[in-house]
Each structure stands twice: as C-alpha cells, then as structure tokens.
Amino acid sequence: MLRFTINPINDINIDDLRIVLYNYIISKQLNEKLLIRINDLEKDKIAEGKDKETLEILSLFSIDYENTIYQSDNLKYHQKLAMQLMNQKKAFACFCSDEKLEELKGEAKKQNKPFEYDGFCETLSDETVLNVNAPFTVRIKKPETKIEFNNLLKEKLSFSPSEIDSFVILNHDKKPTYNYACSVDDMLYDISTVIRKEAYSVNSAKQIHIRNLLNYDKEINYIHIASLESKNNYTIKSLIDEGFLPAAIANYLVLLGNESHDELFTIEDAIEWFDIKKISKKVLHFDIDKLKSLNKKHLEEIDEMRLSKILGFADVDIGKLAKLFLEDSNTIKEIKEKINLVFSQKSNYQGSNEDFQQIKKCLRNAPFIETFEELKTYILNKTNLKKENIITPLTYLLIGEEKNKDISKIYLLIKNYLGEIIK
C-alpha cells in the first residue's frame, strides 16, 4: 500500500499534487492500494473543512484511493508503543523546559552548528523520574550507528546519529509528533512504498530508526524526488479558480522532469509509460506559461458540448464559440470573460454613440436573421446609416469588442441569443 498525507492546515499546492499524482500512478502500476492519511495531530492549527476541501480537489483529478484515515484515531497505538519503547529503555522522559531547549538551540546557532539534544534527561534514574512532578515529553534514544537506506532515484542515503538525534516522539500532552505518528501508521497500514520530497530524507531516516527500535523488519521502499520550485507557490484551488482544467494541471505536473512521446496525455495514459526512476533528479521550476499552453491544447481537444457545460450552458454553439475565443485565450476564466462581454449590458459606446443607439433600437425589433451579412443589410434598410459606420458599433454591440475578424462566424453561434444580447 502507498500513502499520501494531507495537511489540513494549508491549501494543497502544486508540489503536493505532484506527489499525490506520483503515488496514484505508482499504486496503479504496482496494483497496490492508495491510502489518504490526514495529519490532524495539531488540532488547534487545523483549518475547519480543509480536509474535505482537499479530498474534493483530489476527486476533481479522478484520484481514487482505498480509504481515508485520521492520524488522531490511532492515538492509543502511538502511546502504547511509546510506553513499550520507554520500558525497553529505547526512549526516555525529558523534563527539559522550552526555555532550556531554546537556550541550547541559541548556543548551537552561535557556534554555527545544528542543534543536538545534550542528553541530560537520558541518564536520569527511574527513581528520579518517578519523583519529578513536572510535565515531560518522551524522546527516542538516538541511534548508535548510521541510519542507511536506499533511495530508488539515487545512491544509498546515510545519516549519522547526530543528524537523527534524540528527537521527541510524544509531546507534553502525550500526543505524538509527526515523524513518530507516521512511522507507527506506516506499520499499522503495511505501507510498502513512500514517495516524498527530497528535502524530507532525514525524516524518513528518523522514521526508519523508530521502526528499527520497534523491531519492525519490513523494508519500505523510499523514493525521494527533487522539489518543484515556484515563485508564487500556486495552490491547486487558485489554478482551478483561474480556469485551468484538472486534466491539464495533472498533464503538466507529470510531464515536468519526464520524457513522454506525447506532450498531451491523461493520467490513464501515464500509468502505461511512466517510469519514476527516469524522472529528473534536478530541482524543477514551475512555468505558468507552459501550463497555459497545455491548458489551451486540452481545451482545443475537449468536446464542444462538454465545454459548453463547463461554461454554464448546454448548447453546442456556445462550445463552438468558446473554441473561437481560444485564439487569444488560454483558460476557462478568460473564455468566460469574453462570453460575459457578449451578454453584458452595453448602454453606451465611446465612438459614435448616436449610430450605436440607432443600431441597438433597430435590432430590438428585428426578426430572426440567419447571417451576419443579412444582419448588416437589415440595419442599412431600417436606418439611414452608411455601411462603413455600421461594422464597429455593431461588433461592439454583439461581443463587447470593437473588432474581431471572426465576427461573421461568431454571429452564427450567438444569433439565437440576440434577444438576450440586445438589452
């Protein structure tokens, strides 16, 4: 089984989605299940409804998973195994105050060294521990030797005992810390493969150390991938709100750092050819212009009725209109803005407003007219306007823009809505 952890504090961002897409693809390739794990350990920091919102976003990308579990539901297991580690002298009670720990961190910073717990409480006798009434955390004993494991994308990773350190596994309130909860939950749910960002390699080593002390001997395959950098750290919600299709976003994120025979593909296609061992090992950079280009291509390929429904209609002609507007649009939002202009109230015209008002009055009483040429002829016959004075204000009246080389084609697609357009 594979797993992806949702943090219900923040919106899911592009790098998070890239990781879950990789997990989904690999789970399908390995014919294994995917578990969504929700990190709700810090209840006071959780944004209400953020977990459900994130799950809804995953459904937009057709990411199916076996189950959703909340880490807090496993609290009794976290605490039980922590007690086991303490009884076996593999973990210990730490009474150091926050002030003392901050002091140690400050000293380490002055010496330009990483913080390392000084081990003060590790040597306290059982009698001393029993006689101390102060609140305490539980710390794991740091390893005696290096923690080494294989990263499937690179050579073996190795972390010294100092890098692992005697880190906290239970806080003062006896709730588990993230790394400890993850290590226990990976055991409980028989996780076989973990795909994470390269920056979290040391966390993987800490989790391995915990499982080693718990005598859990199943080897978990770790795949640590290079990070995805973005100047704006786009969230998936913001991209969807801007009118990017989930299919295009997924296409772009899987394409990043990969080689594909086709630039345009679905996640189902990617399951057939994707090889995670071949993805780039270098830091990747998010390019919004490349995403816009891919999004446009997906919109070009989409069925016209479906596109119409995405835009809030159920008319093939509106879908065809959207395709015409794609010439200088890249997203659903940009197309919607153009369609909204078509149906907007156009009370005045900055050019010859008198000509504009005449055309508008004329068309309010016009019968159904088949073509744009016939429309122009009708206006000429019903008004005293000259032919050269009609095109610009008429184009503005129909689409909210003064010029468009496709106005004849556009008219064929909006003629049934003329009553709504001429307000």
Side-chain angles (χ1 to χ4, degrees), residues 391-404:
I391 298 298
T392 303
L394 176 56
T395 301
Y396 176 76
L397 181 61
L398 292 175
I399 65 170
E401 297 176 356
E402 291 187 348
K403 294 179 181 180
N404 193 304

Side-chain angles (χ1 to χ4, degrees), residues 305-315 318 332 336 339:
M305 178 57 85
R306 185 180 166 217
L307 181 54
S308 170
K309 289 179 178 179
I310 291 172
L311 292 163
F313 295 82
D315 183 350
I318 296 297
I332 291 293
K336 273 186 176 179
I339 291 177

Side-chain angles (χ1 to χ4, degrees), residues 308-416:
S308 170
K309 289 179 178 179
I310 291 172
L311 292 163
F313 295 82
D315 183 350
V316 171
D317 282 347
I318 296 297
K320 291 177 180 178
L321 178 64
K323 294 285 184 82
L324 282 179
F325 285 152
L326 263 178
E327 185 171 328
D328 53 358
S329 303
N330 296 295
T331 67
I332 291 293
K333 184 178 180 180
E334 291 171 354
I335 295 172
K336 273 186 176 179
E337 288 171 352
K338 289 182 175 294
I339 291 177
N340 288 341
L341 272 180
V342 171
F343 291 97
S344 66
Q345 179 80 34
K346 307 171 192 78
S347 302
N348 295 293
Y349 175 59
Q350 291 184 348
S352 176
N353 193 49
E354 185 178 337
D355 294 349
F356 173 76
Q357 296 300 338
Q358 276 196 66
I359 295 170
K360 190 174 184 180
K361 183 178 180 181
C362 173
L363 292 185
R364 278 178 176 162
N365 301 311
F368 180 78
I369 299 173
E370 190 67 38
T371 69
F372 188 66
E373 288 301 316
E374 291 172 344
L375 184 72
K376 290 190 293 181
T377 301
Y378 177 82
I379 295 170
L380 285 171
N381 291 336
K382 293 293 182 179
T383 68
N384 58 359
L385 296 173
K386 295 179 180 180
K387 188 175 181 179
E388 60 268 22
N389 294 336
I390 289 177
I391 298 298
T392 303
L394 176 56
T395 301
Y396 176 76
L397 181 61
L398 292 175
I399 65 170
E401 297 176 356
E402 291 187 348
K403 294 179 181 180
N404 193 304
K405 65 181 178 62
D406 291 323
I407 188 61
S408 295
K409 295 178 184 177
I410 290 172
Y411 177 75
L412 293 175
L413 301 170
I414 64 173
K415 60 187 178 184
N416 292 326

Side-chain angles (χ1 to χ4, degrees), residues 222 279 289 336:
Y222 281 94
I279 67 172
D289 291 328
K336 273 186 176 179

